[in-house]
Amino acid sequence: MVSLATTAAGDPLVEVRFRVSGMTCGACVARIARGLELVTGVGGAMVNLATEEASVRYHPGAVATPRLVEAVEHLGYGVPRQRLELSIGGMTCASCVGRIERRLGSMPGVLAAAVDLVAATATVDAAVGATGSSELLQAVRELGYDASPLAAEDADPVATAREREVRRWRNRFLFAALPSLPLLVAMVGHLGHPTHVRWLHFLMYGWFQLPLATLVQFGAGSVFYRDAFNNLKDRHANMSVLVALGTSAAYFYSLALILSGFDYGINGLYFETSALLISLVLLGKYLEARAKGRTSEAIQKLVALRPSTARVIRDGQEAEVAVEQVRVGDLVVVRPGEKVSVDGEVVEGSSAVDESMLTGESLPVDKGPGDGVVAGSLNRAGYLRFRAVRVGVDTKLAQIVRLIREAQASKAPIQRSVDVASGYFVPFVIVCALVTLIAWMLVGEDLTSSLLTMTAVLVIACPCALGLATPTAIVVGIGRGAHDGILFRGAEQLEAAGRIRAVVFDKTGTLTRGEPELTDVLSLQGGHLEADILRLAAAAEQHSEHPLGQAVVKAARDRGIGIEAATDFLSLPGRGVRARVEGRLVQVGRALASTGGVGVSLAEQGKTVMLVEVDGQPAGLLAAADALKPQAAEAVSALTAMGLEIWLMTGDNQATAGAVARAVGIPPARAIASLLPGDKVEAIRRLQAEGRQVAMVGDGVNDAPALATANIGIAVASGSDVAIEAAGVTLVRDDLRAVAAAIELSRATLTKIRQNLFWALAYNAIGIPVAGLGFLSPIVAGTAMALSSVSVTTNSTLLRKFEPMRRFESSSTWAAGGLVRSQVGHLDAMAARLGTEVEA
């Protein structure tokens, strides 16, 4: 791995992700990652077998995308490409061409860019999954030129590339299966010795079988030979090496018998063994590719939400354009039954918009001037004209898709150990196969039987299932979380959440709404009515920005009390406000010094008490409380039922902390109050020092250090940007029950990983000895190997049916079937936060 000091010093790291084809097992993953990290200028590389993606961090001043692709292809793997064509306006000379070509060519994922001045077009070749027309258009526009797509971009190039991969494996299987069919019939003939059937006897004839077997071995099977050669050339071994060795042993042994003129009889050739093995392996790769495609279903459904066209007001007329041509500031029209194309703000019209596919809200939301609309939502009724605010990759839908895709491509800690083990596994199997061959010959078996037993060992031990065990479960788990509004930053965070043993909640804004409400107005003197006290206090507080002051003003307005003008307003930090109202000096917020037992009683109920003084004399008390969130108690109850310790840490006083803890079901002994941000960090470290894996749930800037210190930070999307940046999990919907759902989902994902690893390892632990002892024919071994990786992938896809939120949701508060369960306001809060680099 190249360090910053040895490359372009001072260059920031740039990350690019692109598809890689041709990987078969964990050994391929390790080999590609090592090959990329050896490229000068690369600061780190990760490869994911399940998503078939490579993620590379590099210094753009030292290396570019074509060199990275060249490194992958040099290892014998493929990098699918896509061609994007743009229409460029505003170019005047050759210098414009050079400027645009340099800008496009320097973008991550771009392999080549050519601009035609006469045709006013740009043709860009890019790695699939690395970039799209929206990014290219934005780059050209930033240079001051007009740009629009010449042809509509594929909605999801990654999904298209995966479909192409499925078709390739299917075609290879069919190409192998057709010539293998007569050999299969010949194998059946071997079993029954039906020498009296002339045509069946002909099928067993060696010179008839040879061309069929050769077509399969070096036609359909060439993919394994190429991959094996590329790996062995770099002193690595993978699944293809085992397949090539096993099938070659059977093929060349049979070929030698034919060429030598040896009387092999009707049972002496094993062309059908090599051909059927290759056909079975190709069938397994085809089924595996199909199963892997289903693991990314969440992203495919999200991408499908975006319409391909939009109605834009141009020169006073409505024009239907490709959605990539919509720019910020454009006026967009959406009619009844149409989808919203980009994020925007309504300027004209009113309608009911169905946001269930994005927000999980079952009922349409009324929209009018000033309201926001999001791409992917459906306009049910009415006519809307809105101004585009975010387009292309900046829309919330696009950002969520990117976040999920990056998280799915990341690698869990457990996967790194599996990749290392896979690198040693294939050489170990080859040694076992050679030992099997020698051992059987030493005990007196003939070469034919010994070769077949060795072939069975080679074929049954292919480590495909081992390499897919972890990444397929991670991909499905992260997609399932996105379906329920739980966004994991990466695979590491998904794994960590399942090991949590203690959950720490912040109070304000997390368990409570963070918006205090006035609960009590009490008069301390008979001369002041409660309405008068509230009127004077609201007048004094109307210029205050403090949440308590705003609560007082809101309460007065809600009760229809007129608020008089105030003069001589003065904010007293830590003590409240002072102002002159109706000629009297009014002060609100002085500490409780002489309020007696009433104020103390209110404080013990978890309320914040404010003293109202008029002309220096105590006149009344105001009490405000921060209301609990509706699902706070349910969330704590669910987490407790899961065997977790629940703690409350807050900067508020102990009385308030205790009252809130009791209200939600947290033991008062675990409610720690009067904590500064640094104190929360120390408290979490003490819990960790006692052997607990700790999750911190918070929303504020002051929670960020604790979120970063905890084993896993969980941020509420309605919270601050800083909190979300520090957290490893974001709850898109402000529903604390999702904390329990996130942990349950993580546990279920870890269970799937353990199941997959157990069966993958048990399969090899049992299969290799059984095959080595001669109890399995190569055909049976090949069938078992082909089905092993399919079974692991299928087991992972069962996570799609796991619905942790179903346990907590009710039909009135949570709509079933939402893809990303959120609130539009919360998505607004996330828009600038989802570009964060995934940690893995």
Side-chain angles (χ1 to χ4, degrees):
M1 185 178 293
V2 182
S3 66
L4 281 170
T6 58
T7 60
D11 258 356
L13 280 172
V14 172
E15 183 176 24
V16 63
R17 296 175 182 272
F18 52 85
R19 288 262 300 165
V20 177
S21 62
M23 295 187 291
T24 57
C25 61
C28 300
V29 170
R31 182 165 174 254
I32 296 172
R34 283 194 296 268
L36 286 169
E37 288 178 345
L38 290 174
V39 176
T40 302
V42 172
M46 289 191 305
V47 182
N48 190 298
L49 180 62
T51 60
E52 297 180 334
E53 284 186 330
S55 171
V56 187
R57 296 180 182 182
Y58 67 97
H59 298 278
V63 67
T65 301
R67 177 68 186 92
L68 303 177
V69 171
E70 179 187 343
V72 173
E73 293 178 336
H74 177 73
L75 295 174
Y77 302 93
V79 178
R81 292 164 166 78
Q82 60 178 331
R83 172 158 290 185
L84 303 171
E85 296 181 318
L86 312 178
S87 175
I88 311 293
M91 294 188 294
T92 57
C93 61
S95 63
C96 298
V97 171
R99 185 165 175 245
I100 296 173
E101 284 183 344
R102 285 191 297 272
R103 178 69 179 94
L104 292 175
S106 66
M107 294 184 65
V110 172
L111 304 177
V115 177
D116 188 329
L117 180 62
V118 177
T121 62
T123 302
V124 180
D125 291 328
V128 168
T131 190
S133 63
S134 296
E135 292 93 328
L136 302 178
L137 293 171
Q138 184 175 342
V140 174
R141 289 166 182 166
E142 287 175 353
L143 294 177
Y145 301 95
D146 294 327
S148 60
L150 197 61
E153 181 195 355
D154 201 325
D156 187 0
V158 175
T160 302
R162 193 180 292 282
E163 291 171 4
R164 197 177 300 123
E165 185 79 2
V166 170
R167 287 196 300 270
R168 276 199 295 265
W169 285 117
R170 181 197 62 197
N171 294 339
R172 285 170 184 157
F173 164 67
L174 293 176
F175 181 75
L178 291 176
S180 295
L181 185 60
L183 300 176
L184 176 62
V185 176
M187 184 182 72
V188 175
H190 285 177
L191 299 177
H193 302 281
T195 56
H196 61 282
V197 182
R198 289 180 176 273
W199 66 269
L200 191 56
H201 186 74
F202 174 75
L203 293 181
M204 300 175 191
Y205 184 53
W207 290 104
F208 173 78
Q209 291 188 0
L210 177 60
L212 296 177
T214 302
L215 190 63
V216 176
Q217 190 75 27
F218 302 108
S222 61
V223 61
F224 301 116
Y225 280 104
R226 284 195 302 270
D227 192 37
F229 173 77
N230 290 324
N231 275 270
L232 293 174
K233 182 178 63 176
D234 290 339
R235 299 179 180 178
H236 293 91
N238 68 345
M239 183 211 81
S240 294
V241 173
L242 299 182
V243 174
L245 284 175
T247 59
S248 295
Y251 175 86
F252 285 108
Y253 174 74
S254 301
L255 179 62
L257 289 181
I258 291 179
L259 296 178
S260 66
F262 182 75
D263 184 13
Y264 47 83
I266 63 172
N267 291 311
L269 298 181
Y270 293 94
F271 284 126
E272 78 278 2
T273 298
S274 62
L276 290 175
L277 278 177
I278 288 176
S279 298
L280 287 170
V281 173
L282 290 173
L283 174 61
K285 298 305 292 181
Y286 164 60
L287 296 175
E288 176 188 313
R290 288 188 59 188
K292 285 195 294 186
R294 290 195 296 270
T295 63
S296 298
E297 189 179 70
I299 284 182
Q300 295 168 21
K301 288 184 177 179
L302 282 172
V303 171
L305 290 179
R306 190 191 73 163
S308 59
T309 61
R311 298 181 188 277
V312 182
I313 304 297
R314 296 277 168 85
D315 299 325
Q317 302 292 324
E318 286 188 20
E320 186 169 329
V321 301
V323 71
E324 292 84 2
Q325 297 183 31
V326 180
R327 304 180 187 179
V328 173
D330 278 350
L331 286 178
V332 183
V333 172
V334 58
R335 297 173 179 173
E338 294 180 341
K339 287 184 178 180
V340 177
S341 54
V342 296
D343 296 355
E345 181 179 322
V346 177
V347 296
E348 181 183 335
S350 61
S351 180
V353 178
D354 182 359
E355 299 172 339
S356 61
M357 296 300 286
L358 282 170
T359 68
E361 301 294 343
S362 58
L363 297 177
V365 181
D366 292 333
K367 300 290 183 179
D371 293 328
V373 291
V374 291
S377 55
L378 178 66
N379 182 27
R380 287 291 187 190
Y383 170 93
L384 287 178
R385 180 180 293 190
F386 65 91
R387 191 173 304 281
V389 176
R390 285 182 290 270
V391 302
V393 295
D394 294 326
T395 64
K396 298 158 197 170
L397 177 61
Q399 290 174 344
I400 289 175
V401 168
R402 183 166 65 87
L403 179 68
I404 299 170
R405 185 169 283 154
E406 290 176 349
Q408 288 181 333
S410 62
K411 188 172 294 186
I414 191 173
Q415 177 63 27
R416 300 187 183 103
S417 302
V418 173
D419 289 345
V420 173
S422 297
Y424 293 102
F425 185 74
V426 175
F428 168 75
V429 171
I430 294 175
V431 171
C432 289
L434 291 175
V435 170
T436 299
L437 173 67
I438 296 170
W440 276 102
M441 294 185 68
L442 288 177
V443 298
E445 286 290 334
D446 56 49
L447 179 60
T448 300
S449 299
S450 300
L451 279 174
L452 288 177
T453 304
M454 181 194 74
T455 299
V457 171
L458 287 171
V459 173
I460 201 168
C462 291
C464 303
L466 189 63
L468 290 169
T470 299
T472 52
I474 292 293
V475 168
V476 180
I478 288 175
R480 179 67 248 186
H483 187 283
D484 285 340
I486 303 165
L487 300 184
F488 292 92
R489 193 176 294 275
E492 185 174 352
Q493 288 73 25
L494 178 62
E495 181 179 336
R499 307 186 191 281
I500 293 302
R501 291 295 173 265
V503 179
V504 176
F505 283 97
D506 170 56
K507 182 184 74 68
T508 306
T510 303
L511 286 175
T512 65
R513 295 182 182 277
E515 300 175 357
E517 298 177 357
L518 197 68
T519 58
D520 300 90
V521 180
L522 301 175
S523 175
L524 296 179
Q525 296 181 5
H528 294 282
L529 299 176
E530 293 177 357
D532 292 333
I533 294 171
L534 182 55
R535 178 173 55 81
L536 294 172
E541 292 279 12
Q542 62 183 307
H543 299 301
S544 173
E545 296 181 357
H546 195 282
L548 290 174
Q550 294 300 311
V552 173
V553 175
K554 182 178 182 300
R557 288 174 177 163
D558 290 345
R559 300 182 189 188
I561 298 175
I563 301 177
E564 300 290 336
T567 59
D568 301 332
F569 174 81
L570 179 63
S571 176
L572 306 171
R575 293 187 295 140
V577 299
R578 179 190 299 162
R580 190 166 295 278
V581 181
E582 299 174 352
R584 290 178 286 183
L585 187 62
V586 179
Q587 183 167 320
V588 184
R590 201 172 80 173
L592 294 177
S594 58
T595 58
V598 177
V600 173
S601 175
L602 291 172
E604 288 176 347
Q605 297 174 33
K607 299 177 180 180
T608 301
V609 182
M610 296 167 282
L611 176 64
V612 181
E613 292 183 307
V614 179
D615 293 329
Q617 298 298 318
L621 293 178
L622 303 177
D626 191 357
L628 291 175
K629 290 184 177 178
Q631 304 86 12
E634 291 180 53
V636 171
S637 176
L639 291 167
T640 303
M642 292 166 61
L644 301 172
E645 287 185 9
I646 315 300
W647 295 73
L648 171 63
M649 295 184 184
T650 178
D652 215 328
N653 61 71
Q654 188 62 53
T656 301
V660 171
R662 285 190 295 272
V664 297
I666 299 176
R670 293 183 187 157
I672 308 176
S674 304
L675 296 179
L676 297 174
D679 298 329
K680 291 183 180 180
V681 170
E682 291 303 318
I684 288 176
R685 285 176 177 165
R686 284 196 298 272
L687 292 176
Q688 292 171 328
E690 294 170 1
R692 299 177 179 90
Q693 295 284 309
V694 180
M696 172 70 190
V697 186
D699 75 311
V701 174
N702 62 328
D703 297 324
L707 289 168
T709 302
N711 299 94
I712 184 76
I714 302 176
V716 180
S718 57
S720 70
D721 293 355
V722 177
I724 291 178
E725 291 290 343
V729 180
T730 299
L731 307 182
V732 180
R733 184 185 176 107
D734 194 3
D735 188 331
L736 291 178
R737 296 174 298 184
V739 175
I743 296 175
E744 280 201 351
L745 176 60
S746 177
R747 289 180 176 181
T749 304
L750 289 176
T751 297
K752 285 296 180 187
I753 291 174
R754 294 188 190 102
Q755 290 173 353
N756 290 346
L757 290 175
F758 171 79
W759 288 114
L761 294 172
Y763 161 83
N764 284 294
I766 296 172
I768 292 175
V770 170
L773 292 173
F775 295 117
L776 289 180
S777 70
I779 300 300
V780 174
T783 303
M785 185 277 293
L787 294 177
S788 64
S789 57
V790 177
S791 63
V792 164
T793 307
T794 303
N795 186 46
S796 294
T797 60
L798 293 178
L799 270 175
R800 291 185 303 164
K801 300 183 182 297
F802 180 71
E803 299 180 334
M805 281 304 303
R806 285 286 200 181
R807 288 183 48 194
F808 316 119
E809 64 192 27
S810 63
S811 58
S812 61
T813 59
W814 194 276
L819 276 176
V820 179
R821 302 186 178 281
S822 61
Q823 296 172 337
V824 176
H826 300 157
L827 283 171
D828 283 330
M830 292 188 64
R833 309 165 188 159
L834 297 181
T836 313
E837 185 177 62
V838 175
E839 301 171 4

